[in-house]
């Protein structure tokens, strides 16, 4: 208290003190005892920041002292082309809007006065004719957006540039209202984009959002809502906590209770900057045993690291997206160290800070880095200069790198203006340089910062190159304290903006071995899609057959392209194309059966040759044997056509061959009937030889069937189809059930039915070892096979349609060979010496036209019947 009472006297003592080793600087206090210092120069720059703390702003903060050093350092160590004389004024705003605006009005009045005197002094008012008016070409300030916005509007009306390194409100990007505002920190919209990218990378879709109950928090959550909607990320909660209010702790408790209800929202976005509000929420969450990961909008509340009422569980759950300030500038630290040891009595800000921290009014120093002076009791006191430097280092001086960049941008703008308008002497044209020209030059500044980074402004006055540091609160075993550790970066100018090193992240102990999930529903894995979605809640469903999803939480499945399939619903694989081959079960089985049939047919030919002297073989003409052999071998050889890779041409050959076989078999069975040939022979007046009748009926049937087949081939395309089954594609000729195909089948089928009906009347004729009985059986078997063929073909798919066709043709061969050929061999072995009976109505084996009726009288038939067998043979020979 005594120290505070003696403050005015100390200030008076400082005014009259002069030090030759420091730059001359003027300082004073205003009507609220707020410090203000300035250094004259041709071009003046105003700094408006809160530099004090406490109430009523009676203590210089360590952060405020660092800001003062940063502005002076940037001006005194600038690197520009021309030798500019830049002066400055530094004022404390006490984080108070009226004080800030009052100083803004003074700057505007000074600007108006200077402008008037520079144009036409005779028209200036009495107040404007003061001789000590200051022209400020740029103003730095303020720290927070709530005071920067109105100050920017005021200064912008007079085209005075305002620059801030901390005000991040998106409202300041509106150039119609803030056309002269610039900042070295990006708009909050950029940090929201970074937050959303972090949320998206970890797959969080259900987020609890807390904002400060002010413009910063409300605009922040609005932007968060805007960006998350585009990515199907839902915000729940969306609550606000007041700043420094008597209700803050009560509302924090209510928020924690609401968080407990939203158990699936395990990630909490906290968009607030005020002290204690966030700590209250973490403390209440700890009471309720809530396990949450807190994602904050900046290097949030550094004071939380020293909070005593927050447990390790809550601390290790804090992940922040903060402005990337880089490492502390060593030249700046050297400048600070020099200032502490050399200008401890000249620099009002440093002098007052030392006094309020130690109660020592420093008046001298020694070679060992000790500052000595008198305390309030006029006793000798001393303080280590390294202690002050240590306090500055602990406050993270790298945070003011953006402030240094801001001052450098004005220096570069002034250099551009003076080189353009004052090429001969920049120090002699101060009156001719005005803020409007500096504002225009700021739009095009482009330089490399002291951190070796590119720097320029976009059309909204924000930095073009934006980068954020992704940091996590982690416990340091060496120091025994919690520290913010960088785990990734976000850069606006990179295609992949976010880069997080997962090895540096420490997963909270309550989350097991993986980062926590935050979603209303379970995460749909690859191969599944989201269905029955209601906002951020859904169900997971396996992708339909033949489609895939490669990413978690896919909204839809993509079908595999033609010729591809999927087994795991994640990857599409090339579908192998299969045909009927010897490696295929159907192909191998039918080929073996067909080969057996061919071998049996040749065996039958051999046996017929062996039995050539028997009556039944002798009575069979060679034309019948040859035609039967060719038909049977062709029916078995039809199988080999299906071992050829299908194409339109191959398909045509297959179908023509099948119907040709069916037609020839049906024609042979028809001609074997005696009644058919006799009926035709009546119209050719040849009742004894039916050869002409056979030729006519054969020609008619074959011509008609050929016409039908040609019409069918011309009218249809015979495509090759692919049927996918068991992850392979079976390629085969497509069977189209059309009118032409049915006609091609119906004609031989009708002929077979006619042959069956006709052979029925002759099936009991006891001639030629019952040949007509077996002919009737053959016709019936062919009818049954054809009916089964048509019915079965309509019930199966392509692969088994081929099998039906092959069974049908093989059945033709086996049935015909068994009933028409093997029966002759059987009788040849069982009755080798029995001759054929030539009685009325009985003819030889073979086609009807091959049989030669024997002229005989009824008396001869009677006498032959009465003679013994040996005599009958002699009589027949005669």
């Amino acid at each position: 208290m005594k120290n505070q009472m003696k403050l005015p006297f100390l200030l008076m003592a400082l005014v009259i003190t002069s030090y030759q080793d420091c730059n001359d600087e003027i300082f004073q206090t205003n009507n609220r005892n707020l410090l203000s210092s300035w250094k004259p120069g041709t071009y003046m720059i105003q700094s408006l920041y809160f530099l004090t703390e406490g109430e009523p702003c009676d203590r210089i903060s360590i952060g405020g002292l660092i800001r003062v050093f940063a502005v002076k350092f940037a001006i005194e160590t600038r690197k520009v082309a021309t030798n500019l004389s830049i002066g400055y004024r530094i004022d404390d705003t006490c984080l108070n809007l009226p004080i800030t605006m009052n100083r803004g009005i003074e700057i505007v009045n000074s600007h108006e006065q200077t402008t008037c005197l520079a144009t036409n002094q005779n028209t200036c008012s009495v107040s404007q004719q003061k001789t000590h008016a200051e022209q400020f070409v740029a103003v730095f300030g303020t720290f927070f957006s709530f005071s920067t916005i109105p100050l920017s509007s005021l200064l912008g009306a007079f085209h005075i540039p305002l620059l801030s390194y901390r005000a991040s409100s998106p409202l300041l990007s509106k150039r119609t209202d803030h056309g002269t505002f610039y900042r070295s920190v990006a708009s909050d919209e950029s940090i929201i984009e970074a937050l959303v990218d972090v949320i998206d990378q970890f797959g969080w879709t259900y987020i609890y959002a807390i904002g400060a109950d002010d413009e910063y928090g409300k605009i922040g959550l609005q932007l968060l809502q805007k960006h998350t909607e585009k990515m199907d990320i839902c915000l729940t909660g969306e609550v606000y906590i007041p700043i420094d209010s008597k209700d803050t702790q009560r509302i924090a408790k209510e928020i924690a209770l609401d968080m407990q209800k939203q158990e699936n929202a395990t990630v909490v976005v906290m968009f607030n900057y005020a002290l204690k509000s966030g700590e209250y929420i973490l403390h209440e969450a700890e009471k309720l045993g809530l396990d949450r990961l807190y994602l904050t909008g900046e290097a949030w509340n550094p004071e939380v690291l020293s909070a005593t009422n927050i447990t390790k569980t809550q601390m290790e759950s804090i992940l922040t997206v903060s402005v990337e300030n880089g490492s502390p500038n060593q030249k700046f630290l050297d400048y600070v160290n020099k200032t502490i040891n050399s200008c401890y009595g000249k620099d009002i800000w440093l002098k007052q800070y030392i006094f309020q921290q130690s109660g020592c009014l420093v008046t001298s120093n020694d070679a060992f880095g000790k500052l000595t002076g008198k305390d309030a009791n006029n006793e000798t006191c001393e303080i280590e200069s390294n202690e002050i430097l240590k306090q500055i280092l602990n406050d993270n001086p790298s945070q003011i790198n953006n402030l240094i960049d801001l001052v450098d941008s004005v220096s570069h703008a002034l250099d551009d203006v003076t080189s353009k308008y004052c090429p001969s002497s920049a120090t002699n044209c101060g009156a001719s340089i005005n803020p409007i020209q500096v504002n225009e030059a700021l739009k095009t500044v482009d330089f490399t910062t002291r951190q070796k980074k590119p720097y320029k402004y976009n059309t909204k006055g924000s930095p073009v190159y934006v980068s954020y540091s992704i940091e996590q609160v982690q416990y340091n075993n060496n120091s025994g304290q919690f520290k913010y550790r960088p785990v990734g970066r976000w850069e606006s100018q990179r295609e992949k903006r976010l880069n997080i090193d997962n090895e540096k992240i420490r997963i909270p102990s309550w989350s097991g071995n993986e980062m926590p999930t935050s979603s209303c529903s379970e995460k749909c894995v690859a191969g599944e899609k989201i269905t029955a979605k209601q906002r951020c809640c859904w169900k997971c469903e396996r992708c339909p057959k033949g489609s895939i999803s490669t990413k978690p939480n896919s909204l839809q499945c993509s079908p595999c392209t033609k010729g591809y399939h999927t087994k795991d619903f994640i990857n599409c694989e090339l579908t192998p194309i299969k045909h009927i081959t010897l490696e295929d079960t159907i192909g191998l089985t039918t080929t073996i059966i067909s080969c057996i049939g061919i071998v049996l047919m040749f065996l039958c030919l051999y046996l017929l040759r062996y039995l050539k002297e028997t009556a039944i073989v002798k009575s069979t003409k060679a034309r019948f044997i040859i035609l039967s052999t060719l038909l049977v071998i062709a029916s078995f050889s039809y199988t080999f056509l299906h071992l050829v890779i299908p194409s339109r041409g191959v398909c045509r050959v297959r179908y023509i061959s099948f119907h040709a076989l069916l037609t020839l078999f049906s024609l042979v069975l028809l001609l074997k009937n005696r009644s058919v040939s006799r009926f035709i022979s009546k119209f050719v007046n040849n009742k004894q030889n039916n050869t002409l009748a056979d030729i006519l009926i054969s020609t008619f049937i074959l011509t008609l069937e050929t016409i039908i087949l040609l019409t069918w081939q011309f009218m249809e395309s015979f495509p090759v189809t692919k049927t996918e089954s068991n992850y392979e594609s079976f390629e085969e000729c497509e069977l189209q059930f059309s009118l032409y195909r049915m006609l091609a089948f119906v004609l031989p089928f009708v002929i077979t039915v006619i042959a069956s009906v006709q052979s029925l009347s002759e099936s009991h004729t006891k001639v030629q070892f019952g040949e007509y009985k077996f002919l009737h059986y053959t016709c019936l078997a062919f009818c049954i096979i054809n009916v089964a063929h048509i019915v079965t073909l309509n019930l199966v798919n392509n692969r088994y349609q081929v099998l039906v066709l092959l069974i049908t043709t093989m059945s033709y061969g086996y049935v015909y060979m068994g009933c028409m050929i093997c029966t002759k061999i059987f009788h040849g072995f069982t009755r080798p010496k029995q001759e054929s009976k030539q009685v009325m109505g009985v003819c030889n084996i073979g086609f009807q036209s091959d049989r030669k009726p024997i002229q005989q009288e009824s008396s001869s038939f009677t006498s032959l019947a009465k003679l013994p067998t040996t005599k009958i043979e002699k009589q027949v020979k005669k």
Side-chain angles (χ1 to χ4, degrees), residues 624-642:
F624 172 77
I625 297 297
I626 293 172
L627 183 59
S628 297
T629 301
L630 293 176
L631 281 176
V632 171
I633 292 177
S635 66
F636 291 128
S637 299
Y638 178 76
T639 301
F640 304 128
L641 279 177
H642 287 271

Side-chain angles (χ1 to χ4, degrees), residues 235 439 465 633 643 772 817:
L235 298 184
N439 180 64
Y465 305 98
I633 292 177
L643 299 179
Y772 292 106
M817 183 172 57

Side-chain angles (χ1 to χ4, degrees), residues 443-675:
K443 295 178 181 179
T444 59
V445 293
D446 190 355
F447 63 96
T448 302
T449 68
R450 305 185 192 216
Q451 298 290 322
K452 308 301 181 183
K453 297 179 180 179
Y455 190 95
K456 64 179 180 179
Y457 297 109
N458 61 22
T459 56
K460 295 181 179 181
S462 296
V464 171
Y465 305 98
V466 181
S467 62
Y468 292 105
S469 175
I470 315 300
E471 301 177 357
Q472 184 184 28
V473 176
Q474 296 182 0
Y475 186 75
N476 190 312
N477 293 322
N478 294 328
S479 63
Q481 296 177 339
F482 285 99
K483 297 290 185 182
Y484 281 103
R485 184 190 181 191
V487 295
R489 295 183 74 234
W490 186 93
E491 298 177 83
S492 63
Q493 296 300 307
R494 295 175 63 90
E495 183 177 353
K496 185 182 179 182
R497 301 184 295 186
L498 179 63
N499 183 19
I500 294 181
D501 189 348
N502 292 325
E503 293 183 357
K504 292 183 178 180
I505 293 180
R506 291 184 185 176
I507 299 174
S509 57
W510 53 265
S511 186
N513 297 323
E514 296 181 354
M515 286 294 283
T517 58
S518 187
S519 62
C520 179
S521 304
E522 292 185 3
K523 185 177 182 180
C524 295
V525 299
E528 297 178 338
K529 67 175 182 178
I530 291 176
T531 186
K533 184 175 182 181
Q534 296 180 351
R535 294 196 72 224
C536 289
C537 301
W538 59 78
K539 293 182 180 179
C540 296
E541 182 180 272
R542 174 68 68 183
C543 286
K545 184 178 180 181
S547 61
I548 63 170
S549 63
T550 57
K551 295 182 179 180
N553 286 343
S554 297
L555 295 177
Q556 60 183 4
C557 299
S558 302
C560 292
T561 56
K562 189 175 182 180
Y564 288 79
H565 70 280
T566 178
K567 295 180 180 179
D568 56 7
F569 300 94
I570 301 174
N571 303 295
C572 288
E573 301 176 7
L574 183 64
T575 303
I577 300 176
K578 300 291 185 179
H579 312 94
I580 296 295
T581 63
L582 291 177
E583 297 178 357
D584 183 79
T585 303
I586 294 177
L588 179 62
T589 304
T590 54
T591 299
I592 292 174
I593 296 174
S594 296
C595 290
I596 292 173
I598 293 173
V599 172
L600 291 176
M601 186 62 220
F602 281 106
L603 179 61
C604 289
L605 289 177
Y606 172 78
L607 294 176
L608 288 175
R609 182 179 177 80
Y610 176 77
L611 299 172
K612 63 182 180 178
E613 298 299 327
T614 61
I616 191 168
V617 176
K618 284 183 177 180
S619 63
T620 303
K621 296 299 180 179
R623 184 162 60 95
F624 172 77
I625 297 297
I626 293 172
L627 183 59
S628 297
T629 301
L630 293 176
L631 281 176
V632 171
I633 292 177
S635 66
F636 291 128
S637 299
Y638 178 76
T639 301
F640 304 128
L641 279 177
H642 287 271
L643 299 179
V644 180
I645 297 176
S647 64
R648 291 180 183 269
V650 172
C651 293
R652 293 180 186 276
V653 173
R654 287 181 184 179
Y655 295 145
I656 291 174
S657 300
F658 176 80
H659 288 85
L661 281 173
L662 177 59
T663 302
L664 291 173
F665 272 118
S666 63
L667 181 61
V668 169
L669 295 177
L670 181 67
L671 295 178
K672 287 288 290 180
N673 284 274
R674 292 182 298 172
S675 58

Side-chain angles (χ1 to χ4, degrees), residues 210-222:
I210 305 174
D213 193 11
D214 62 358
E215 188 178 76
Y216 171 80
K218 291 177 180 178
I219 293 178
L221 290 197
Q222 288 176 5

